[in-house]
Amino acid sequence: MINKDFLCIKNIIKSVTKDSCPNSINFHMHSTYSDGSLSPIEIYNQALELNIDHYAITDHHSVDAYLELVKIIESDYLDSSFFPKLWTGIEITCLLKGCLVHVLGLGFDPSSKHLLPYVEHRSAIGNELLASNVVDSIHNANGIAVLAHPARYKLPFDILINEASKLNFDAVETWYNYERAPIWIPSEFICDKIFDCANSYSLLSTCGTDTHGLSLLRR
């Protein structure tokens, strides 16, 4: 059964353009719960200062940052409508067409039993490492499955996106700063090609800074 959060985040992703990140929508960042430099509360404070509309902390194989922030936000007894919308997020390592890739899960139920193999701060093994099983697990948890930064792998992005479409991925992380420029900007030529490729398979396009450092405005 598809819940309203799934439909809501899907509509938000449909609105993403190359100009959405980093100031409006940022669906890829890391906290100290994986390999990031910012604590969850530091991410939260920056999201407030930057007036970000929607964001997700996508730690590797962990949802602890989300759970921590939800407690803090709820304990403030403040009107959440005035704050950036925090969505559940995770980054999962898996095999797609025999190539090691990363998959982002967005908007899922963090308590879902279907995600248990992927939220234990370690990479999956065996059949759980297959992209098909990762996508199914994210979908069973009412989430969106996204192929992260498709031009960073050993196989060409068009081959990986084609395979992702066959496995019912929902989206591709199209807008990404591959050059790691100090001022975040999507790499125009490659991102435009990825956008066209994703569209040819009716896949949505997301964006994110993939922040590991001290600013949500850059990687």
Side-chain angles (χ1 to χ4, degrees):
M1 180 177 179
I2 298 176
N3 64 16
K4 63 179 182 179
D5 281 346
F6 177 90
L7 296 175
C8 182
I9 194 169
K10 190 169 184 178
N11 284 331
I12 291 164
I13 292 173
K14 286 179 179 179
S15 75
V16 169
T17 70
K18 66 171 63 178
D19 300 316
S20 297
C21 190
N23 295 310
S24 176
I25 297 172
N26 192 342
F27 282 146
H28 194 169
M29 62 184 72
H30 299 275
S31 80
T32 48
Y33 276 108
S34 64
D35 55 348
S37 301
L38 294 170
S39 67
I41 190 61
E42 287 172 327
I43 289 175
Y44 172 71
N45 287 333
Q46 279 199 36
L48 283 174
E49 293 169 4
L50 295 169
N51 293 316
I52 291 174
D53 295 317
H54 300 275
Y55 70 114
I57 301 174
T58 52
D59 281 327
H60 297 278
H61 303 274
S62 173
V63 293
D64 290 348
Y66 173 84
L67 297 176
E68 179 180 312
L69 274 187
V70 166
K71 290 180 180 179
I72 293 172
I73 294 169
E74 290 178 347
S75 69
D76 282 342
Y77 298 105
L78 298 173
D79 186 346
S80 61
S81 64
F82 291 104
F83 297 104
K85 171 62 177 177
L86 172 65
W87 294 91
T88 49
I90 195 168
E91 186 166 16
I92 299 171
T93 300
C94 63
L95 288 172
L96 178 65
K97 205 173 178 63
C99 179
L100 205 62
V101 303
H102 292 168
V103 176
L104 301 177
L106 300 171
F108 53 83
D109 175 2
S111 64
S112 172
K113 63 181 182 180
H114 297 288
L115 290 174
L116 288 179
Y118 306 110
V119 295
E120 299 177 343
H121 299 270
R122 60 174 178 81
S123 294
I125 58 175
N127 287 334
E128 293 169 353
L129 188 60
L130 300 176
S132 57
N133 288 331
V134 171
V135 172
D136 285 346
S137 295
I138 293 171
H139 285 164
N140 287 332
N142 285 313
I144 299 282
V146 182
L147 176 61
H149 40 62
R152 285 187 59 190
Y153 306 118
K154 291 184 177 180
L155 289 180
F157 68 81
D158 55 335
I159 292 176
L160 292 173
I161 292 174
N162 175 287
E163 188 69 13
S165 72
K166 295 176 183 177
L167 298 182
N168 295 318
F169 276 68
D170 302 286
V172 175
E173 187 179 37
T174 296
W175 311 114
Y176 191 85
N177 182 4
Y178 287 100
E179 283 81 22
R180 301 188 184 184
I183 297 176
W184 196 94
I185 186 171
S187 303
E188 187 169 0
F189 177 77
I190 189 66
C191 290
D192 287 343
K193 292 292 186 182
I194 291 170
F195 180 68
D196 290 341
C197 187
N199 279 346
S200 71
Y201 295 108
S202 299
L203 294 172
L204 300 176
S205 289
T206 70
C207 61
T209 55
D210 197 6
T211 296
H212 288 74
L214 296 174
S215 171
L216 297 184
L217 296 179
R218 58 186 63 89
R219 192 175 192 276

